[in-house]
Amino acid sequence: LPTTLLAHIASYVSQKQKDIIQICSCHSSLWRQHVHKNTNDDDYDGDKNDGDNIWRSLCRLSFPLSEERIAHWPKTSLTTSSATDSIEAMMNDSATTKNREKTCLSWMSLYSILEQWVPREGFYTILNSYPWGILLLLRFRHGDLVGEIIWHEEEKDNDDDDDDLEEGENVNAGFTKATLHEIIRMRFKNDGSICSTSKILNGIPVLIQPGEKSIGPVLSFLSIFSLVSPCPSDRALCIKALRRNDNDMEEEEEEDIRFFSEGPWNPLTKCSVSDMIHELCNLHSNCITIDPVDLPSSLPCHLLLPKSENNASSSSSLVCDIPLIKPGLYSGCYDLQLYGKFSTEIMRVEYRRYDLTKTTTDHTGSGRSGAEKAETDAIWNAIHRDIFLCEKQRDDNELFQYLRTAIESNSNANEIVFVLGRKVTGDIHVCAGELTWGAVVYPTIGVHREGNHNNNTSLNRIVDKSNSKQYDVARKWWGFGTLAYPGFQSPCWSAGYLVQLAGHPNSPDAFGFSWDIDVEEEATILRWLEIQNEFHQ
């Protein structure tokens, strides 16, 4: 049989290399010859090209990625260099290419590497940096597994040359510049194992392994806010440095003083990203825990909403009424005076839909059977719990009850759609991982609310918090945002608006969120994080 056909058959057996070898080698000498043996072994008695071609096909079948990402895989004995060379030419990184180790793997060894690390490529948050949170991108680059910090810096004037940048690769144009700062580089041996030359920061060897159940204390000077470190998920990874620096051990006793006064994790001090990670390693015994950040589906919301049999025309109105914000990671500017270098925060924007076909126009419940009322109550209880977080967040202005009354009074409201912004990186008030705002984008909810806030129904212009520029408001949707005391103490909801901007460079795709309490009508403008495009399906 052709080797590609054998690979297709093997891919249906399992995608785990161990299972493929174990099962296939039990059936015939053909499988033992082509699949079981590593073609780099001296005692391999088959055609090396046939054996490696099977694993080569399996790599493509099991890990169907873009050609650009495939070009960054570790090199193999049968790799054609054109794709990799084109990527290296684009990056203009001849020095790195010249100095890196020349390792050629068999495709079987490459499969074992991809099996372990391709599912782990993507975005992570460094849990040890709580409550600020730091976003890390783990991916293959030029044959190595690289970990890069995504960090937002103050944008220089247009007159400045790009050569003036101290470090990092510019990955997103805008009023704040997102740059990549490499802190981890792992290389692989011919057998697929990790080389001893894998580094973190200043050349210290590292080991990446499953994360621990606990990540230790929060940043020292923030302990006065009674913060509790988040618990790692089952998919968390631990980046552990294998050798400590003697100078770091001597300075460890002074950590509390330096973190409070002039340390790199003080938001108002200027420092490099490497200094911040270096101090984090010292505080946590040279062990950093990273947790995956899952990207939501990139499909526009109206494609995710099934048509209702009883209201087939609703799909057209949904397209008109719902803001087509692309789900994913966005950056937004918060309080620069309070949060300093952490004021540009990253959030995960997603849609959430609830089916309300069982509700009626009579919100008092009359005319409904007991079963229908119980089902309706169950849906609203889920919204109260999952969206308004009733178990931990106050709702002094009764925004949830206002929403339910408005929806149940609308005879055409067969569903309700939320857009939610959850912080991936945060601050000392609303910490990383918390829901920062939400908005009802279908059906339309009146923006007037009675309560102790501005009742700003005439919101026609807003000010961008990042640069004080003013923009006209094209459309707005009723929403709610989180306010909290330091340490995410006593969090509560405040009314606000999701706004679509007119006259913005990214119009009509420019959106932001404005709290009702902002007297100056400021808004956090959402800016798409461009580097995530290669990971969106």
Side-chain angles (χ1 to χ4, degrees), residues 117-349:
W117 294 110
V118 165
R120 290 170 170 166
E121 280 190 291
F123 296 93
Y124 291 79
T125 181
I126 301 180
L127 295 183
N128 312 80
S129 61
Y130 185 84
W132 306 114
I134 296 292
L135 189 64
L136 180 139
L137 174 59
L138 190 67
R139 58 177 176 169
F140 286 104
R141 299 295 289 173
H142 305 296
D144 301 331
L145 188 68
V146 174
E148 299 161 299
I149 298 294
I150 299 176
W151 183 250
H152 283 81
E153 299 173 344
E154 186 176 351
E155 185 67 78
K156 294 189 176 184
D157 295 336
N158 294 333
D159 296 336
D160 293 344
D161 294 330
D162 291 339
D163 295 337
D164 293 336
L165 299 179
E166 294 181 0
E167 62 174 333
E169 169 194 351
N170 193 351
V171 296
N172 185 26
F175 297 107
T176 55
K177 178 175 77 266
T179 56
L180 297 176
H181 300 260
E182 180 183 316
I183 66 165
I184 305 168
R185 180 170 289 271
M186 295 175 54
R187 295 177 176 172
F188 301 94
K189 298 179 182 178
N190 286 349
D191 60 0
S193 61
I194 299 174
C195 291
S196 59
T197 55
S198 300
K199 305 293 183 183
I200 180 172
L201 291 178
N202 300 326
I204 303 175
V206 295
L207 176 66
I208 298 183
Q209 56 191 18
E212 304 292 338
K213 294 182 179 180
S214 175
I215 63 172
V218 298
L219 298 172
S220 301
F221 84 95
L222 296 174
S223 60
I224 59 175
F225 300 129
S226 302
L227 290 167
V228 178
S229 300
C231 296
S233 70
D234 294 337
R235 296 185 294 147
L237 298 175
C238 176
I239 304 172
K240 186 172 182 61
L242 302 181
R243 186 177 69 246
R244 296 177 63 90
N245 187 305
D246 294 338
N247 293 331
D248 297 337
M249 296 179 67
E250 294 175 1
E251 295 175 1
E252 197 168 84
E253 296 179 356
E254 303 177 6
E255 285 295 333
D256 290 344
I257 298 176
R258 291 188 291 109
F259 266 91
F260 182 80
S261 59
E262 58 186 20
W265 286 94
N266 185 321
L268 302 182
T269 60
K270 292 185 178 181
C271 65
S272 67
V273 173
S274 60
D275 287 340
M276 294 167 58
I277 302 301
H278 187 67
E279 291 289 349
L280 208 59
C281 289
N282 293 339
L283 181 64
H284 292 272
S285 302
N286 282 5
C287 185
I288 296 177
T289 301
I290 60 176
D291 218 7
V293 177
D294 294 324
L295 296 180
S297 171
S298 60
L299 289 175
C301 180
H302 67 280
L303 296 180
L304 300 176
L305 302 177
K307 294 182 180 180
S308 172
E309 294 181 358
N310 298 327
N311 187 17
S313 62
S314 66
S315 60
S316 60
S317 63
L318 285 178
V319 176
C320 296
D321 295 341
I322 290 184
L324 300 182
I325 303 176
K326 186 177 181 179
L329 300 179
Y330 290 80
S331 65
C333 183
Y334 285 75
D335 195 317
L336 179 62
Q337 299 299 321
L338 279 177
Y339 308 137
K341 58 176 175 273
F342 299 109
S343 60
T344 298
E345 303 178 21
I346 297 173
M347 66 196 77
R348 181 183 185 269
V349 175

